[in-house]
Amino acid sequence: MENKKKISPAVRILLLLLVLIVLIGAYAGVKHYSSTHDDDGSADEKTTEIYKVDADKITQMSYTLDGVTYTFGRENNKSDWKYSEDPSLALDQDSIDNMASTAASVSTSQVVSEDLDSSADYGLDSPSFTLTITLKDGTVKTVKVGQLNSVTSKYYACVEGDSRIFTLESDFVSSFASIDSLSSNFVSQMLDSSADEEEPSA
């Protein structure tokens, strides 16, 4: 019979150490993956704050949508928003408050450039959407939105006074509506219409 070679204690310890190192590496890899991915396996997007203000301190909000500029103002967060073109127009205050909340905070998952030299490449020399908010203390923030990236479904944008060009979620732009959909009468008509459609026919 052949004599089986015995593994020396030193070699055995070395092998155990190698196994331990592999296990530690695997654990670290799993932990890192878990920390950077959601439960469904998708990677978390790290966000960078561009600006953030108190929505209650916004006294004026103006944006250009489809070539039309809409401007709304109020004295303070306790008073109603008024449409500058027709202050007597009844508005859906909740909808405008929601727009103000959106306008109060801009963040991004990607800064594509640290300077504006290439702004024309992203459509920012001729913005498709522009938003300006004014705070009670006179602070003004203007967001310019350029081209839509058809692959990521995100817009390219910049803020006046900030040299960065960044990506912006399409939901940000779609949060701002035309005056027709902000009129209380329009909203009431839409609700009434929906109610009529839900009523069963006799």
Side-chain angles (χ1 to χ4, degrees):
M1 293 180 62
E2 294 183 1
N3 293 328
K4 292 183 178 180
K5 292 182 180 180
K6 292 184 177 180
I7 300 176
S8 66
V11 174
R12 185 171 294 175
I13 292 174
L14 181 60
L15 291 174
L16 290 174
L17 286 175
L18 288 174
V19 171
L20 182 61
I21 290 172
V22 171
L23 290 174
I24 292 174
Y27 173 77
V30 171
K31 187 173 182 180
H32 174 72
Y33 181 89
S34 298
S35 65
T36 57
H37 290 69
D38 293 328
D39 294 338
D40 60 1
S42 60
D44 290 337
E45 288 188 335
K46 302 299 180 182
T47 58
T48 299
E49 183 178 286
I50 302 301
Y51 76 74
K52 187 174 184 179
V53 300
D54 186 348
D56 287 341
K57 295 181 179 179
I58 298 176
T59 56
Q60 183 171 296
M61 178 171 55
S62 177
Y63 55 90
T64 301
L65 182 67
D66 296 329
V68 180
T69 299
Y70 304 95
T71 302
F72 303 92
R74 62 180 178 180
E75 294 182 4
N76 52 61
N77 66 314
K78 301 298 183 183
S79 57
D80 287 343
W81 290 98
K82 299 292 184 182
Y83 180 44
S84 63
E85 293 295 315
D86 184 2
S88 64
L89 182 66
L91 300 173
D92 179 11
Q93 296 295 319
D94 288 339
S95 293
I96 302 180
D97 281 338
N98 289 336
M99 291 195 303
S101 295
T102 298
S105 178
V106 173
S107 60
T108 182
S109 60
Q110 181 185 14
V111 174
V112 298
S113 178
E114 293 289 346
D115 59 67
L116 297 174
D117 293 341
S118 59
S119 60
D121 296 337
Y122 298 99
L124 294 170
D125 56 337
S126 181
S128 59
F129 175 83
T130 303
L131 164 72
T132 299
I133 57 172
T134 303
L135 306 187
K136 192 174 182 179
D137 63 2
T139 299
V140 176
K141 296 288 185 182
T142 298
V143 182
K144 295 181 178 180
V145 179
Q147 297 174 352
L148 175 67
N149 185 315
S150 59
V151 176
T152 63
S153 297
K154 294 181 181 181
Y155 287 95
Y156 295 109
C158 66
V159 173
E160 285 190 1
D162 190 321
S163 62
R164 294 172 293 181
I165 297 175
F166 54 91
T167 59
L168 187 65
E169 297 291 341
S170 57
D171 289 349
F172 182 92
V173 176
S174 62
S175 297
F176 298 87
S178 65
I179 189 62
D180 289 339
S181 58
L182 295 173
S183 166
S184 293
N185 292 334
F186 177 85
V187 174
S188 297
Q189 291 171 5
M190 290 296 292
L191 291 175
D192 291 343
S193 176
S194 298
D196 291 341
E197 291 177 359
E198 292 176 0
E199 288 182 0
S201 56

